[in-house]
Amino acid sequence: MDTIQKPTTYDVGGVRYPRPFKIRRLGHFGFNVADMDRGLDFYARLLGFRVTDTRDFSKVPGREEMAKRLQDPRIVFMSHNSDHHAFLLAHKSLGAIFGDDAVSRDVTVNQITWQVGTMDEVFAAADYFRDRDVEIRRVGRDMPGSNWHTYIRDPDGHTVELYYGMEQIGWDGRSKPESMYYRAFRETPELPQISEEQEVRDAIAKGIDINAGNVIQDRTGEEYVVAGTRLPRPFKVTNIGPMSLFVTDVGASEAFYTQTMGFIRTEVVTWKGHRCVFLRNGSEHHSLSLFPKALRGELGLNPETSCASMGVEVGSYQQLRDAVSFLKKQGVPFTDAIPPELYPGVDYAAHILDPAGHCLMLHYYMERIGWDGKPRPAELRRKVGKDWPEAIEPMSDTYADQTFMGPLG
């Protein structure tokens, strides 16, 4: 019998790649937590993520029975930019029902989501994964958010999503109304699909009030002046990432993310005998780091989550200093567990803990990789001590990362 030959290269927008997709950036992530209200207070009131939508499964037709088994039936969608969501918060009981922790009980990250450039890439990726026996969780289109997606699992059971077409929240702060959710898909759709613009025209033609969606609101006041703008906090989250994970087998996870997903290895750090790998998919030093689970206990981090840390970038070094002061006054716990050797390319950073024990890394800078694909040699990086100066000298790539497109507030 003839063996079907898998293609060695694919056409991605006229460029030949080893895979039928190319990851552009970390799009969003989520946590499953035991106390939703405390989580919402932390991420919304303290960090400034804005609630764009709440999906209550007790009010979703066909989901009522499932909702009765949940301690909290909500998924809360939050954002720091114009994306419908950059962060999702759900209860741990929902994660268990959805199978987020089906492989390992320490998986409290409900998804790690990477953006590709086109719809073709999303669904070509699904075929590519099937050919390689990668477990596919689901394929289709999510509502709310309107993003077309393919969900898979990594070797440790983390849900990994490739997506295209995230709904954008404009100046009026309104998301799409639920009456437009009829364009959701629970399985692979036929291509081509109509444009987003045509969807809106069709909704208007059906008599749908397209302005009836949720309105973003932040009622915490504007007590602080941040570089000329009045804001509720003395800082603004302008980016997310990198994501750092504790994994069972660093080599196996590295192979999955580089060979299957197309990440590029930037750097390897051996810390106290543990091999730690830093991967990227753009010009950032890394968007994902992989640590062995044996390191988790040595660092004294939460044994109930495989998340080592999640990066939260603010707009400047001054904002980072002010964020540290603000959050300390609010009683947020800080930790020195993660040494600078385990976040190369990041410069100054502070680590905080959310109410569920997830570690977040506050930072303002990420080293950029140039055309030659080489990171800055370690000896040329800034030496960061415990005492932070009021002002610092710029590096060659300071403020060279992605520009935050909208107003700060």
Side-chain angles (χ1 to χ4, degrees), residues 21 48 82 90 114 118 122 125 128 140 184 209 237 264 304 313 369 395:
F21 59 89
S82 61
W114 307 94
T118 65
V122 170
Y128 167 87
D209 180 2
V237 174
I264 300 169
E304 296 183 356
E313 184 176 345
I369 306 297
M395 304 294 283

Side-chain angles (χ1 to χ4, degrees), residues 50-52 79 81 169-170 172-175 214-218:
R50 303 170 301 167
V51 175
T52 54
S79 190
N81 57 12
I169 305 294
D172 59 353
R174 292 182 183 273
S175 63
N214 185 60
V215 180
I216 294 172
Q217 295 180 340
D218 186 346

Side-chain angles (χ1 to χ4, degrees), residues 281-358:
N281 45 61
S283 64
E284 70 280 4
H285 178 279
H286 64 280
S287 52
L288 178 68
S289 53
L290 304 172
F291 303 155
K293 284 191 176 182
L295 184 56
R296 181 168 55 188
E298 292 190 34
L299 294 173
L301 290 173
N302 184 0
E304 296 183 356
T305 179
S306 60
C307 175
S309 71
M310 180 65 206
V312 177
E313 184 176 345
V314 297
S316 67
Y317 174 69
Q318 181 63 58
Q319 289 184 42
L320 176 61
R321 283 170 49 85
D322 292 342
V324 169
S325 297
F326 171 82
L327 294 172
K328 283 184 175 179
K329 290 179 181 177
Q330 296 291 326
V332 173
F334 281 68
T335 177
D336 294 326
I338 302 179
E341 291 87 349
L342 296 184
Y343 48 93
V346 172
D347 208 316
Y348 286 93
H351 292 81
I352 61 176
L353 300 176
D354 78 359
H358 297 114

Side-chain angles (χ1 to χ4, degrees), residues 42-79:
F42 178 86
Y43 285 98
R45 182 177 66 86
L46 296 180
L47 291 187
F49 283 86
R50 303 170 301 167
V51 175
T52 54
D53 263 312
T54 299
R55 192 72 162 151
D56 186 336
F57 282 102
S58 67
K59 300 177 181 177
V60 176
R63 296 282 196 174
E64 298 90 348
E65 289 303 313
M66 182 194 77
K68 291 178 182 178
R69 293 181 282 139
L70 301 175
Q71 295 181 46
D72 193 311
R74 295 173 293 170
I75 296 181
V76 180
F77 298 81
M78 311 178 79
S79 190

Side-chain angles (χ1 to χ4, degrees), residues 190-312:
E190 292 185 2
L191 298 184
Q193 286 289 315
I194 62 174
S195 68
E196 189 89 357
E197 182 179 355
Q198 185 62 50
E199 281 190 16
V200 175
R201 288 198 295 264
D202 289 350
I204 293 172
K206 292 175 183 290
I208 292 173
D209 180 2
I210 62 172
N211 295 312
N214 185 60
V215 180
I216 294 172
Q217 295 180 340
D218 186 346
R219 295 190 175 92
T220 49
E222 296 183 350
E223 304 174 25
Y224 301 90
V225 176
V226 181
T229 302
R230 290 195 176 277
L231 297 178
R233 296 153 210 89
F235 62 92
K236 166 66 180 174
V237 174
T238 57
N239 202 6
I240 57 170
M243 169 66 80
S244 298
L245 297 173
F246 289 117
V247 298
T248 302
D249 185 332
V250 171
S253 291
E254 179 186 1
F256 170 81
Y257 280 103
T258 56
Q259 297 172 22
T260 302
M261 300 294 291
F263 283 70
I264 300 169
R265 188 177 73 189
T266 304
E267 192 165 345
V268 175
V269 171
T270 300
W271 191 78
K272 293 189 176 181
H274 297 284
R275 182 175 182 270
C276 305
V277 178
F278 300 86
L279 308 173
R280 72 181 190 276
N281 45 61
S283 64
E284 70 280 4
H285 178 279
H286 64 280
S287 52
L288 178 68
S289 53
L290 304 172
F291 303 155
K293 284 191 176 182
L295 184 56
R296 181 168 55 188
E298 292 190 34
L299 294 173
L301 290 173
N302 184 0
E304 296 183 356
T305 179
S306 60
C307 175
S309 71
M310 180 65 206
V312 177

Side-chain angles (χ1 to χ4, degrees), residues 73-195:
R74 295 173 293 170
I75 296 181
V76 180
F77 298 81
M78 311 178 79
S79 190
H80 66 282
N81 57 12
S82 61
D83 285 348
H84 177 275
H85 53 278
F87 175 60
L88 298 93
L89 199 66
H91 194 270
K92 290 187 72 173
S93 58
L94 183 64
I97 287 177
F98 276 10
D100 295 333
D101 60 355
V103 175
S104 179
R105 293 301 177 189
D106 64 357
V107 175
T108 60
V109 180
N110 56 49
Q111 59 187 277
I112 310 168
T113 303
W114 307 94
Q115 182 175 357
V116 298
T118 65
M119 190 183 302
D120 279 341
E121 293 173 64
V122 170
F123 301 119
D127 293 334
Y128 167 87
F129 293 136
R130 289 190 189 97
D131 288 343
R132 284 152 182 80
D133 296 322
V134 175
E135 180 188 350
I136 294 180
R137 298 204 61 190
R138 55 194 174 97
V139 179
R141 191 192 195 193
D142 274 339
M143 293 286 186
S146 302
N147 43 307
W148 306 85
H149 61 246
T150 291
Y151 283 86
I152 60 175
R153 287 193 201 273
D154 77 0
D156 282 85
H158 300 107
T159 296
V160 178
E161 177 191 12
L162 295 184
Y163 82 98
Y164 151 83
M166 174 64 70
E167 174 186 331
Q168 297 293 295
I169 305 294
W171 63 268
D172 59 353
R174 292 182 183 273
S175 63
K176 283 183 180 178
E178 288 191 27
S179 50
M180 290 184 68
Y181 288 4
Y182 63 88
R183 284 284 295 162
F185 289 80
R186 297 189 180 276
E187 55 188 35
T188 305
E190 292 185 2
L191 298 184
Q193 286 289 315
I194 62 174
S195 68

